C-alpha cells in the first residue's frame, strides 16, 4: 500500500503559473478563484479554480504542476474536470408534478402581463383626463358674451377700425364737429385762393 507523498509548497503556491497556463486556453472571465488542490500519487499537484462557463456546474479548471529536483515548477496538464456528483443526473420528478409546475409558472406570467397591460391603460386614461381638463380651462378663459368663431363686423362709417356703434353719443358728436371744422377750413382756403387769383387778373 503506497502512501501519498508530502505536497511540495512551491507547487502549491504556483498559482500565477497555473493562471497563465489557463489564460492560454480560456478567457479570464471564465476563471474563478482558487478552489484548493489535489496531491497526485507521483508527487505532482493539481491546482483547482472555479469554473464560470455556463452549462458546467460543479466543474473546475485543473492545472497539474510538477518539478524535478530543484528546478522551477512546470505545467503538465490544463483541463476542465467535473467535481464529484457533477455528472450525476438530477433527481427524477414525476411528469404530473413537472406539468403542474409548468402550468403554475405560465399562469403567473399571464397575470404579470395582464397587470402590466392594465397599468399602461390606466396611465393612458389619466393622460386623456388631464388633456380634457386643460381644454376646459381654455374654454373658461374665453368671454362667455363673445363668440370667437364670429368675426367682428364693421360698418362703412367706422373710423380707423373703430365701431362707432360702441361709442358714446358725445364722442360721435365730437368726431362730427371735428369733421365740420375741417370742411369749413378747406372752404375758407379755397375762397382765399379764388380771391388771390381774381386780384392777379385785375392787375
Amino acid at each position: 500500500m503506497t502512501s501519498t507523498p508530502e505536497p511540495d509548497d512551491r507547487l502549491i503556491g504556483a498559482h500565477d503559473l497555473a493562471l497563465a497556463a489557463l489564460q492560454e486556453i480560456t478567457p479570464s472571465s471564465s476563471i474563478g478563484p482558487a478552489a484548493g488542490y489535489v496531491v497526485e500519487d507521483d508527487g505532482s499537484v493539481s491546482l483547482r479554480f472555479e469554473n464560470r462557463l455556463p452549462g458546467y456546474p460543479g466543474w473546475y479548471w485543473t492545472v497539474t504542476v510538477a518539478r524535478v529536483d530543484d528546478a522551477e515548477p512546470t505545467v503538465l496538464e490544463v483541463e476542465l474536470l467535473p467535481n464529484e456528483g457533477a455528472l450525476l443526473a438530477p433527481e427524477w420528478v414525476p411528469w404530473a408534478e413537472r406539468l403542474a409546475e409548468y402550468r403554475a409558472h405560465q399562469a403567473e406570467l399571464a397575470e404579470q402581463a395582464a397587470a402590466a397591460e392594465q397599468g399602461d391603460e390606466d396611465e393612458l386614461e389619466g393622460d386623456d383626463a388631464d388633456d380634457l381638463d386643460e381644454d376646459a380651462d381654455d374654454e373658461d378663459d374665453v368671454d362667455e358674451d363673445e363668440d370667437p368663431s364670429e368675426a367682428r363686423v364693421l360698418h362703412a362709417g367706422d373710423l380707423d377700425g373703430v365701431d362707432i356703434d360702441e361709442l358714446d353719443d358725445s364722442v360721435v358728436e365730437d368726431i362730427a364737429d371735428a369733421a365740420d371744422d375741417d370742411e369749413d377750413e378747406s372752404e375758407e382756403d379755397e375762397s382765399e385762393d379764388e380771391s388771390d387769383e381774381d386780384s392777379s387778373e385785375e392787375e
Side-chain angles (χ1 to χ4, degrees):
M1 184 175 179
T2 59
S3 60
T4 303
E6 291 293 328
D8 189 332
D9 292 338
R10 295 181 65 181
L11 296 178
I12 295 174
H15 287 91
D16 293 340
L17 177 64
L19 287 174
L22 282 175
Q23 290 171 358
E24 293 181 2
I25 65 170
T26 186
S28 300
S29 58
S30 67
I31 305 172
Y37 63 91
V38 176
V39 179
E40 306 295 345
D41 294 338
D42 59 358
S44 60
V45 175
S46 294
L47 301 175
R48 301 198 306 178
F49 299 85
E50 292 184 6
N51 167 53
R52 291 179 176 172
L53 287 175
Y56 291 88
W59 289 57
Y60 290 92
W61 290 109
T62 305
V63 181
T64 303
V65 293
R67 73 186 186 93
V68 178
D69 297 333
D70 293 334
E72 294 295 324
T74 185
V75 175
L76 299 180
E77 288 184 308
V78 179
E79 51 195 343
L80 182 62
L81 296 177
N83 192 23
E84 296 179 2
L87 299 180
L88 296 178
E91 184 179 355
W92 181 78
V93 178
W95 167 248
E97 294 182 12
R98 285 183 285 163
L99 181 60
E101 292 178 358
Y102 172 78
R103 288 177 174 175
H105 181 62
Q106 294 300 315
E108 182 180 355
L109 293 177
E111 291 178 358
Q112 293 176 357
E117 183 177 355
Q118 183 64 34
D120 294 339
E121 291 179 357
D122 293 342
E123 184 176 356
L124 290 175
E125 290 177 358
D127 293 340
D128 292 340
D130 293 339
D131 294 339
L132 291 176
D133 292 340
E134 291 178 359
D135 294 340
D137 293 339
D138 294 340
E139 291 177 359
D140 292 340
D141 294 338
V142 178
D143 190 354
E144 295 179 357
D145 296 336
E146 294 182 1
D147 187 356
S149 63
E150 295 182 1
R152 186 179 180 87
V153 179
L154 299 178
H155 301 288
D158 294 344
L159 302 175
D160 295 332
V162 178
D163 188 354
I164 62 175
D165 292 340
E166 296 181 357
L167 300 176
D168 295 338
D169 294 339
S170 60
V171 177
V172 175
E173 291 175 359
D174 292 341
I175 294 174
D177 293 340
D180 292 339
D181 292 341
D182 292 340
E183 290 180 0
D184 293 339
E185 290 178 0
S186 62
E187 290 177 357
E188 290 177 0
D189 293 339
E190 290 177 358
S191 61
E192 290 178 359
D193 292 340
E194 290 177 355
S195 61
D196 292 339
E197 290 176 359
D198 294 339
S199 60
S200 62
E201 291 176 356
E202 290 176 357
E203 294 175 356

